[in-house]
Amino acid sequence: MGEGWEVCNDPIRIMVGSRLAAPSLDFLLGTDQLGRNTFSRTITGGRIPLLVAFASLGSSLAVGLVLGLIAGFGPRWLDNLLLLVFDTIRSFPSIIFALAVIALLGPSLASVILVIAHLRTCRAHPDRSAA
């Protein structure tokens, strides 16, 4: 597995004697048709999606917060410039942008996180009444 991501049972270990077992203290979500621990498989399978979600959400939040503070407390021309830039980015199709970034940077987890964070940051709607 990896450091800090260990689960109680091996998610790919086949235990024929405990096929389709009901949830219990040994198997929190039961077992599948091959006797594999469903809880361990769920935890192991959820590592990458949770990493992508938290990393892209955190970076999007940080960038959006900084740009929002700059737009809110900065001069009016800077606010208008940021609004123009984000409206331009928002008019570009998301899938084309994602494919272009993946083609330039290569297919990696970091490029997926970058694309999701960028698209979430650029899709934010400015609320001028709060500033």
Side-chain angles (χ1 to χ4, degrees):
M1 304 290 148
E3 298 105 35
W5 290 96
E6 298 298 325
V7 291
C8 54
N9 294 327
D10 187 10
I12 58 173
R13 188 173 134 220
I14 297 174
M15 298 174 282
V16 180
S18 55
R19 291 178 21 182
L20 299 173
S24 65
L25 291 177
D26 292 332
F27 305 110
L28 293 177
L29 295 178
T31 60
D32 63 3
Q33 66 274 14
L34 296 176
R36 298 174 294 192
N37 189 343
T38 306
F39 178 72
S40 296
R41 294 175 64 79
T42 303
I43 296 298
T44 303
R47 294 181 304 173
I48 301 300
L50 284 175
L51 174 68
V52 169
F54 285 126
S56 61
L57 180 68
S59 59
S60 175
L61 178 68
V63 170
L65 183 66
V66 168
L67 289 175
L69 287 172
I70 289 172
F73 292 112
R76 184 73 175 170
W77 65 267
L78 184 58
D79 179 35
N80 289 334
L81 178 69
L82 286 173
L83 189 62
L84 177 68
V85 168
F86 283 116
D87 281 345
T88 305
I89 292 171
R90 227 181 307 189
S91 68
F92 198 66
S94 301
I95 190 73
I96 302 297
F97 173 76
L99 288 173
V101 170
I102 299 296
L104 288 174
L105 299 179
S108 69
L109 191 61
S111 59
V112 170
I113 291 171
L114 176 73
V115 166
I116 293 173
H118 181 274
L119 291 176
R120 295 307 313 154
T121 302
C122 293
R123 298 292 182 233
H125 182 69
D127 185 13
R128 294 173 187 247
S129 65

